Amino acid sequence: MKKLKTIIQYECTTSFKYIWYFYAIQYAVVALSCIIIAIAVGSPEKVGMNCLEINTVIYISILGVLGFKEDFKMLIQNGFTRKYIFLATISMFAFTSAIMGFVDTVAGNLLHYFIRDYSSLFGSIYGYNNIFANWLWLFLFYMLICSLFYIGVLVINKIGKISSIYLGVVLGGIALLAVAVFRYVISDEIAQNLMKLAAKAMGFMSNGTINYFFPMVTFLLIMTVLGLGSYMVMRRTELK
């Protein structure tokens, strides 16, 4: 357990400082934009920006990739097992997602309060009535994005770039086939039921209310599948 604690501390400490570099750059750009717009049109509320959380999604997507590529070789060479590396990486994803979800929740609500035209990612979907749900939703969503890109880079490393391209083409074909089946094959009644089920999974109930619990469960289920897949691939990943 001491080795696991050491590797988790290393991963979290390494990622922690880069979070603030990211936010420093992002909000410096936001502040500069507000100043320029305020000078030009006399009101910072005219700034045409929304959903700054998308920038965070891009950042954590990169984190999901680097979570494997940068550390795996070094940690394996220093005697850490694949199980410990996987647990440490997931811990880093959770640590980073929790912090960035909190910052984005606070910043998103403050920006919406002071700049009424601004809409945060969660607020544009669910509104601004539940700050805790906002943070938890972002935390799990960011974790899901990290997990998705993590298993992606693991698969690419395992099967190689050429095979990965073929796999991407196959998956793209399956996606297009699924869309075609959804539009032209299944009945309208089944299609509507599937859409209602998808809406319910994201918390939109048929009576017009919002259930914040359902999207959390949806994200957790997807993350569990991605996590199990990542671990199975990592167990068979050789040092290159």
Side-chain angles (χ1 to χ4, degrees), residues 31-48:
L32 182 62
S33 299
C34 288
I35 293 171
I36 293 174
I37 296 298
I39 294 173
V41 301
S43 174
E45 293 190 5
K46 299 298 183 180
V47 177

Side-chain angles (χ1 to χ4, degrees), residues 127-174:
Y128 298 88
N129 298 321
N130 193 319
I131 292 180
F132 177 75
N134 188 336
W135 170 77
L136 186 58
W137 189 91
L138 285 176
F139 165 62
L140 294 174
F141 179 62
Y142 292 164
M143 279 285 291
L144 189 154
I145 297 297
C146 286
S147 301
L148 179 62
F149 278 84
Y150 187 54
I151 191 172
V153 73
L154 282 169
V155 170
I156 291 173
N157 180 80
K158 178 65 178 177
I159 67 177
K161 294 181 180 179
I162 301 300
S163 297
S164 298
I165 293 173
Y166 293 144
L167 178 61
V169 171
V170 170
L171 292 177
I174 292 174

Side-chain angles (χ1 to χ4, degrees), residues 178-193:
V179 171
V181 169
F182 184 81
R183 292 191 60 183
Y184 303 112
V185 177
I186 63 177
S187 66
D188 290 341
E189 182 180 357
I190 294 176
Q192 290 178 1
N193 288 334

Side-chain angles (χ1 to χ4, degrees), residues 23-39 44 47 49 52 111 115:
Y23 281 121
I25 295 172
Q26 172 173 278
Y27 286 107
V29 173
V30 171
L32 182 62
S33 299
C34 288
I35 293 171
I36 293 174
I37 296 298
I39 294 173
V47 177
M49 60 179 181
L52 289 174
L111 284 170
I115 306 175

Side-chain angles (χ1 to χ4, degrees), residues 77-90:
Q77 290 175 337
N78 281 275
F80 291 100
T81 65
R82 286 170 174 77
K83 180 179 179 180
Y84 278 10
I85 295 173
F86 174 77
L87 291 175
T89 302
I90 297 300

